[in-house]
Amino acid sequence: MKMHFCIPVSQQRPDALGGRYVLYSVYLDGFLFCRVRYSQLHRWNEQLRRVFGNCLPPFPPKYYLAMTTAMADERRDQLEQYLQNVTVNPNVLRSDVFIEFLKLVQLNTFNITAEKASLYVFLPDGRGIEVEILTSDTAERVLEVVSYKLGLHRELLGYFGLFLIRDYKEGKLSVVKKLMDFELPYVSLQSCDVENCKVGLRKWYLDPALDSMLMDCRAAVDLLYIQAVQDTEKEWARPTQAQRQELEALRKEDNRTKFLELYQQVQHYGCLQLDPCTCNYPEPGCEAVISVGNNEISCCITLPDNQTQDIVFQMNRVKCWQVTFLGTLLDMDGPQRTLNQNLELRFQYSEDSYWRWFVIYTKQAFLLSSCLKKMISEKMVKLAAENPEMQIEVPEQGKNKKYHIRQSQKDYSSFLSRKSKTNRAEDGCGSGTIKEEDL
């Protein structure tokens, strides 16, 4: 599945010989990931092609004459599409050529030297695990180190992930973003302009049934338990009064396995809750609290008369979605390093035999999109296990502007190209600077 790479802006810079070059600001999940030149990406593409051949997406050609504004915009669009498409291949993602280049550009962009450092990774109960790392260590490597310290079985690492998390003084919790395996946690933390941000360890799956895969590992059970306790304290999960009493009794007995078995029945268990946001239903501007997980998008909406309404969208009735950046970027050399202002996520949903768009305005739109992708991925894996003959069809690169996964006649669409952002009137899309649609 494609990642949320985008290149909203580029800048011309003077070089040492008196000429000028273009520097591209690459964002991942709404945060500045790196700044690179075309020549750097071109060399990287050639290195990848020596390993993977023609299975890579097309790379924008060189221009030997001065570029017009239209040509420069087209190249920026093509580079953006290249970064999105090259990450679809899991073999590319795991390759040294891919990872080493991205490590280097992250370090260089934020002027951080590769050296030894200490990093605290926080657990849901507030404990900080100090690990000795290199500033150039990836999230995958840091997760391995933390898991070893906790005694978490290596084969269970895929069920957990590292996140940037923000703690508020009033006790609220906000998940800022999920760190990709190739991101550098030390660099991400140092470069993040979100206040009171820290690196946290949380489970990274949204199907509560997957808990059963972890029950034989004491460290995994402990992590699930303390996250469940935190979810209750932060009111992300909503046990009934009777469930609270039974759960409290199991806590006093320190019976964590039984606690987790009962917790499976708690409303919103295993869901990730977004910060308060607004939506367009039943009318524009309604405040909403969104919880995503367990194959659904759950919305608690405050109506104009201050009454609340709970609405649940089942993922099997979601056709597609897209993330749109509605604002503009200013002062790219200054402190602004996120796209997290003026973001929306809209999804197309089947209701009473009609397709309609539901729009959520949230600074966590990219995180929400990642959660939707995760739920679909988990569903597909589950269906494939139940029916080994099921086929997942993905059209070849370049045959279509959109990606499709076909299963049971349902189409889930992925990224829109930048050019198509104002040409999809049939989808009811508004104009914007960046528009993405993703699994």
Side-chain angles (χ1 to χ4, degrees), residues 208-404:
L210 292 175
D211 280 5
S212 61
M213 306 296 293
L214 285 69
M215 289 296 106
D216 291 334
C217 174
R218 177 63 190 219
V221 170
D222 290 344
L223 288 172
L224 296 182
Y225 171 79
I226 61 177
Q227 185 169 323
V229 171
Q230 182 193 54
D231 286 352
T232 303
E233 293 174 347
K234 304 298 183 184
E235 298 183 347
W236 284 22
R238 301 176 185 176
T240 63
Q241 186 59 39
Q243 288 172 334
R244 284 182 183 275
Q245 293 175 358
E246 194 170 350
L247 289 168
E248 185 59 32
L250 291 172
R251 281 187 67 179
K252 290 179 179 178
E253 296 173 10
D254 200 27
N255 193 334
R256 302 190 172 191
T257 301
K258 288 289 186 182
F259 180 97
L260 291 170
E261 288 176 1
L262 175 61
Y263 216 87
Q264 289 273 337
Q265 305 169 26
V266 172
Q267 185 184 21
H268 297 329
Y269 170 59
C271 294
L272 188 149
Q273 183 172 297
L274 303 184
D275 297 345
C277 57
T278 59
C279 65
N280 72 334
Y281 183 88
E283 60 183 75
C286 287
E287 295 181 356
V289 175
I290 310 294
S291 295
V292 56
N294 202 12
N295 253 346
E296 62 186 34
I297 307 166
S298 178
C299 308
C300 180
I301 298 174
T302 302
L303 303 175
D305 61 2
N306 287 327
Q307 306 234 347
T308 59
Q309 179 180 356
D310 290 324
I311 303 175
V312 176
F313 299 95
Q314 300 295 332
M315 280 302 296
N316 60 3
R317 296 170 66 184
V318 173
K319 181 180 181 181
C320 60
W321 67 87
Q322 61 195 49
V323 175
T324 308
F325 174 54
L326 304 172
T328 56
L329 287 173
L330 303 173
D331 190 19
M332 291 305 301
D333 291 321
Q336 182 180 359
R337 291 175 175 171
T338 77
L339 300 181
N340 285 353
Q341 288 75 35
N342 301 317
L343 286 175
E344 71 171 32
L345 182 144
R346 59 175 60 207
F347 60 89
Q348 197 172 20
Y349 189 76
S350 175
E351 185 176 43
D352 299 327
S353 300
Y354 292 97
W355 291 101
R356 58 164 295 169
W357 287 96
F358 186 86
V359 185
I360 300 171
Y361 303 94
T362 170
K363 63 183 180 181
Q364 295 167 297
F366 288 109
L367 176 64
L368 175 55
S369 179
S370 295
C371 290
L372 302 187
K373 287 195 296 182
K374 190 67 174 176
M375 287 193 291
I376 286 184
S377 176
E378 290 170 359
K379 182 74 171 181
M380 299 301 286
V381 170
K382 185 176 181 179
L383 290 173
E386 294 172 352
N387 182 11
E389 296 181 357
M390 185 190 77
Q391 295 184 352
I392 300 176
E393 301 176 3
V394 181
E396 295 178 14
Q397 299 281 349
K399 293 291 183 66
N400 196 315
K401 287 186 179 180
K402 297 189 292 182
Y403 248 47
H404 298 280

Side-chain angles (χ1 to χ4, degrees), residues 1-6 27-29 80 83-85 87-88 93 98 102 180-182 366 373 415 436 438:
M1 292 185 182
K2 295 182 181 180
M3 293 186 181
H4 296 123
F5 275 112
C6 56
Y27 284 72
L28 176 61
D29 292 337
E80 181 178 284
L83 289 173
Q84 292 170 2
N85 290 323
T87 56
V88 172
L93 285 176
F98 180 89
L102 294 185
M180 296 297 177
D181 285 348
F182 53 81
F366 288 109
K373 287 195 296 182
F415 281 108
E436 298 178 77
D438 205 340

Side-chain angles (χ1 to χ4, degrees), residues 137-172:
D137 280 340
T138 62
E140 182 178 36
R141 173 58 183 161
V142 174
L143 180 59
E144 289 175 350
V145 174
V146 174
S147 299
Y148 177 80
K149 280 196 141 189
L150 294 173
L152 183 64
H153 296 171
R154 187 178 181 85
E155 63 270 19
L156 300 180
L157 291 183
Y159 294 96
F160 295 89
L162 296 181
F163 297 78
L164 290 183
I165 294 174
R166 181 181 183 184
D167 275 331
Y168 290 88
K169 292 180 180 179
E170 56 269 28
K172 294 182 179 180

